[in-house]
Amino acid sequence: MRAPNKSEAEFDALFEYVDTCSDASKYRLMLLLSIRLGLRPKEMAGMQRSWFRGDELRIPHGYSKGQGGHGSLPVCSEILAALDEHMGEREGCVFLNRAGRPFDAAGISSALRRLYREAGQEGSCYSGRRTLATNMVDRGVNLLVVQKVLRHSSPVTTQQYVGVTQNMLSKALYG
């Protein structure tokens, strides 16, 4: 099953729920990285604080999927503030489980699925990624730029992430 695209209201409700959870700062950051940057669970699982350099996130070779996965992305102040709130002065691995060990990709995926479910929504670790891609195309961003953001090696893969919105249909029909 494809991860569903989410509305801004659904994301707002999800963040409201997350703020009531224990470890809220961890889960808020996890969601922001999924929704704002389209990160994959594997990228979040291996993430180190040192990957953040100023207003940039640098994903090294080997921590992503496929040939197009590594690279850098600009990071907004909202993500940097969430990172600081979550980590404080701590260095090293960004996401640790309750036992103090790094999350693996399956753990990140499970945590995100659980957050959606507990917030009363259908969603998965790829809902943020698909919604980001759809919203970018809806705003008129070139598909090759979306491909670069999602770190796909082929635009064909990127096309599979993009849903069709009412706005896209209206523009296609009425200009």
Side-chain angles (χ1 to χ4, degrees), residues 149-162:
V149 169
L150 296 184
R151 295 156 319 282
H152 287 149
S153 56
S154 167
V156 173
T157 304
T158 306
Q159 286 177 316
Q160 295 170 1
Y161 277 73
V162 178

Side-chain angles (χ1 to χ4, degrees), residues 2 7 26 30 35 43 60 65 68 80 92 101 112 131 146:
R2 279 180 112 170
S7 69
K26 172 172 59 182
M30 213 178 269
I35 294 165
E43 294 161 342
K65 183 179 170 185
L80 293 173
R101 294 190 193 99
L112 288 170
T131 303
V146 179

Side-chain angles (χ1 to χ4, degrees), residues 80-122:
L80 293 173
L83 177 69
D84 287 343
E85 182 180 339
H86 168 59
M87 297 209 49
E89 297 298 316
R90 184 171 62 84
E91 293 295 323
C93 188
V94 172
F95 295 112
L96 302 175
N97 62 25
R98 292 179 194 246
R101 294 190 193 99
F103 269 91
D104 60 11
I108 297 281
S109 180
S110 176
L112 288 170
R113 253 192 330 272
R114 181 180 49 80
L115 290 172
Y116 281 106
R117 184 179 63 249
E118 290 177 358
Q121 297 185 30
E122 182 184 344

Side-chain angles (χ1 to χ4, degrees), residues 5-57:
N5 281 315
K6 309 302 284 179
S7 69
E8 202 60 40
E10 287 172 308
F11 283 138
D12 289 345
L14 184 59
F15 280 112
E16 284 180 29
Y17 169 73
V18 164
D19 288 340
T20 69
C21 295
S22 63
D23 291 331
S25 65
K26 172 172 59 182
Y27 296 122
R28 173 172 280 281
L29 178 60
M30 213 178 269
L31 283 169
L32 285 171
L33 293 170
S34 171
I35 294 165
R36 303 281 190 256
L37 296 180
L39 294 190
R40 300 173 176 102
K42 181 178 180 179
E43 294 161 342
M44 286 189 257
M47 184 176 286
Q48 300 288 314
R49 186 173 195 145
S50 62
W51 293 7
F52 291 87
R53 301 203 181 145
D55 61 353
E56 181 180 49
L57 170 63

